[in-house]
Each structure stands twice: as C-alpha cells, then as structure tokens.
Amino acid sequence: MPAGLNRALLTVAGAAVAVVLAIAICSVAIVIAGGSPLDALAAFFDFGRSESAESNSVAVFLNRAVPLFIAGLAVAVGFRMNLFNIGVEGQYRVAALCAAYVGSTFTAPAPIQIGVIILVAAAVGGLYALIPAVMKVTRGVNEVISTIMLNYIAIAVSAYLVRGPFAGERAQGQLTTTTPPLPPSGMFPDLNFVFEWFGMVAPTRNGGLWGFLIVAVVLGVVIWLVLERTRFGFNIKASGLNGPAALASGVNPKTMVIAAMVLSGGIAGLIGLPEILGDRGAFGSNFTAGLGFLGIAVALLGRNKPLGIAVAALLFAFLDRAQGALQFADIPASVVTIIQGAIVLLVVVANEVTNRIALRLEERRAAQQLGRNTPVEVAA
C-alpha cells in the first residue's frame, strides 16, 4: 500500500475512533445529568415534524457551517506558517462592522455593491492582522499574546462604533443598535431554489439558505490551490517548518510571516458576511460572537486541509443546530459543547498517535527496502 494512502487511512481511522470516544464520554455526561443518551441521539437527528420545519432546519445547519468553514480556513493559513492566529475573533468583528457600514453609505448595482462590501471586509481583516505580524517580525512579540490583546480591543472598538459613529436609526423600543441597513442591492441572493431540486419546501426562516455558501466553496478551492499548488504555499510551509533553512534557500521568513498573517486576516474578515449579506443586512450589537474561537477547533479537527475543515465545519454545525431539540428533550444544551470539546481533544491525541504509527510503518518499509537492495556476500 502506498505510504500516502496508508497515512490517509490511519488519519481517517483515528478521527472516527475519536468521534466514537467523544460520543461515549458525552453519553456518560448525559446520564450523570439525568438524561437519556438515546433521547439525545434522537434529538440530534430531529429536523422537525413538518416539511417547512425540516427545510428550515437544513438551512440553519448549512448556514451555520459557512462561517465556521471560513473561520477554519483563516486559522489554517496561520497554522501552515506555524503561527497561532487567535485574533480571528477580533479581525472578523471589526471587518464585518466596517464592511456593513461602508455598504450602507452608497447604492450601486448588486455585483458592484456586494463586491465592494467583500473587498472592504477582506482589507480591514488583513490590515488588522498586519499589526501582530509587524510586531512579531520587528520586535519579536509572540503572536498569541498580541492577537489576544487585539481581540479585546476589537470587541471594545466595535461596541463603541456600532453605538456611536456607525449607528443607524433605532426604532422605538428596540434594545439593540445596528449600522444603517444595506440597500437591497447589497443583499446576496439566496439559494432556496436548491430545496426545490430535492422536492422540499423552500426555507423561510433567517433569510433561507444563504447564497454566500457559493463564495465559501470557491474560497476553499482557491485556498487549497494557493497552499498546495503554488510556490507561495510551499514558501509558507517551508518557512514555518524551518525558518533558517528557508532563508538559506532564498525565502525571507519575516516576509512570509507578514504575508501569512495578512492572508489569514483577510479570510477572517469574510466570516461575518454570510450573516450580514444573507439575513440581517446590518451589523448589530448582538452580532454572532465566538466564530473565531470555534474556527481554531474546526481547523484542528480538519488537519488544516480545506476538505477536512469543510467536514469539521459541517460536524460542528450539525451539533450546534441540535441545541434547541436537546432542550425540548430535557437535556442540557451544554452537551453540545462537551461533545465539541471532547472531539477536538481526542482528535488531537489521535492525530499524534496515527502520525507515530505511520512514521514507524514508513521506517519499517524503508528498512525492508534497504535490506532487499543490499547485496549478500557469499562466503568463498
């Protein structure tokens, strides 16, 4: 069996075992909480009892996976450079706020309007990620420390701007504040027609199936091509693995640190756009939080590969969607968090174990090959 296929099979087997063990651990937690694991399992697969409810549940599931997938891509780019970009949380919130506000200040044809919003979000996210990158290459500041601090700054600045300079008109009795609403040309067309292809009723809740799903798929393909099939991607990986060796071969590691962080931040800037362009049409003080931190878990679970990240995003979205059904089954919604945490922890352990097993198999195969190629001396 080829070494690459052998390693891939070990990786898949390790992830499957990790998921099974996580479910077993969570079952114990459910029993301790006084619930039934079988009821919890039924709740996870309960998409509703009417055609409309089923369509809405599927749309919520896919819509949740889109920002998680983008967040995982953003984190994975940093991981490829051996950088821990924890600042994805702050980067996407600042970018979403600025993009929503800029998009509300003018009206243009839909392709231009949406294109400008996407470009602003990517630019703001990339510029905000440039700060820790410059601090790292010029002053040696660890990116973990700087990005954590910048997260708090981003959250505080976003809260101030959405209630101050960037605030739109608030209706009487409304408790939350938002940026001015986007014009109709700024809203991304939905993909509700896909449900009709499968004979299902079109979803009606939260804007249906967000059209930004297409952008996410294209983005995943582009990132895979950049990281796996270009010299730039090779330079990022080489610089992350061994900076001095990369420098000796003509690659400046400091330049690659800045490039990787800016690219990671640019991708992070797109995380909030599915929700803004697909449903809300504005950035609000109650905007969805925590996607950047979940992106770290998604990237780890997906082994920093776009396809693996997509599977991990779908898994996390599937678990998140079941929180309401779990509460109806008298099971704490925190079970979802326990499962997600256990899966990530066990997958990390499983990856280390499978890597060691694969390495030993490759060493054994190499030793056997060497033994075949070594001539045997015949005694005279």
Side-chain angles (χ1 to χ4, degrees):
M1 183 180 297
L5 179 59
N6 192 20
R7 183 178 289 269
L9 290 176
L10 283 173
T11 299
V12 173
V17 171
V19 171
V20 172
L21 288 177
I23 294 174
I25 293 172
C26 191
S27 298
V28 174
I30 293 172
V31 172
I32 294 174
S36 169
L38 294 178
D39 291 342
L41 182 63
F44 279 118
F45 291 93
D46 182 10
F47 282 79
R49 301 186 179 182
S50 66
E51 293 184 353
S52 177
E54 289 180 357
S55 297
N56 286 327
S57 294
V58 172
V60 169
F61 160 54
L62 295 176
N63 289 343
R64 179 64 173 175
V66 171
L68 290 177
F69 173 66
I70 300 174
L73 290 177
V75 175
V77 171
F79 280 162
R80 281 298 184 95
M81 183 62 204
N82 204 21
L83 296 171
F84 207 168
N85 183 14
I86 302 180
V88 169
E89 180 72 19
Q91 291 153 16
Y92 92 81
R93 296 185 72 164
V94 171
L97 171 63
C98 294
Y101 178 74
V102 171
S104 68
T105 59
F106 71 101
T107 301
I112 297 176
Q113 186 90 22
I114 296 174
V116 169
I117 293 172
I118 293 176
L119 288 176
V120 169
V124 172
L127 288 174
Y128 202 68
L130 179 63
I131 299 174
V134 172
M135 293 172 65
K136 182 177 180 64
V137 300
T138 59
R139 308 303 300 174
V141 179
N142 187 285
E143 74 278 2
V144 174
I145 304 298
S146 59
T147 51
I148 289 176
M149 296 298 102
L150 286 168
N151 276 342
Y152 287 107
I153 294 173
I155 293 170
V157 170
S158 299
Y160 163 72
L161 291 176
V162 78
R163 292 178 173 87
F166 290 180
E169 295 183 4
R170 183 165 59 175
Q172 186 176 3
Q174 183 179 349
L175 299 178
T176 59
T177 56
T178 67
T179 57
L182 294 175
S185 59
M187 301 301 292
F188 213 103
D190 60 57
L191 300 178
N192 290 344
F193 60 88
V194 174
F195 287 83
E196 299 177 1
W197 294 351
F198 295 93
M200 300 177 65
V201 177
T204 57
R205 193 171 66 181
N206 299 329
L209 181 59
W210 298 339
F212 211 83
L213 172 64
I214 297 177
V215 178
V217 173
V218 173
L219 179 64
V221 174
V222 171
I223 294 302
W224 177 81
L225 290 173
V226 169
L227 295 180
E228 303 290 345
R229 293 294 185 267
T230 66
R231 183 174 181 81
F232 175 77
F234 174 79
N235 290 343
I236 285 181
K237 187 175 182 179
S239 301
L241 290 175
N242 194 326
L247 182 61
S249 64
V251 179
N252 190 336
K254 292 185 177 181
T255 301
M256 300 314 299
V257 166
I258 293 177
M261 283 295 289
V262 170
L263 177 59
S264 176
I267 298 171
L270 306 180
I271 295 172
L273 294 190
E275 185 174 345
I276 292 175
L277 302 183
D279 179 25
R280 299 197 178 195
F283 181 94
S285 55
N286 62 341
F287 195 74
T288 302
L291 295 174
F293 297 122
L294 284 173
I296 298 173
V298 170
L300 287 173
L301 186 58
R303 300 288 304 270
N304 300 323
K305 304 287 187 180
L307 182 59
I309 292 171
V311 175
L314 289 170
L315 174 60
F316 271 55
F318 175 77
L319 296 174
D320 285 339
R321 182 211 59 82
Q323 290 187 12
L326 287 172
Q327 291 178 342
F328 281 115
D330 294 327
I331 298 171
S334 57
V335 165
V336 171
T337 306
I338 296 174
I339 294 178
Q340 291 174 339
I343 288 175
V344 173
L345 178 61
L346 292 171
V347 164
V348 171
V349 174
N351 287 342
E352 183 63 25
V353 172
T354 54
N355 283 337
R356 293 187 179 186
I357 293 175
L359 182 60
R360 290 182 180 180
L361 291 175
E362 290 172 5
E363 290 175 348
R364 186 180 303 172
R365 185 181 294 108
Q368 293 174 351
Q369 187 67 26
L370 181 62
R372 295 193 191 100
N373 296 334
T374 302
V376 180
E377 295 183 4
V378 181

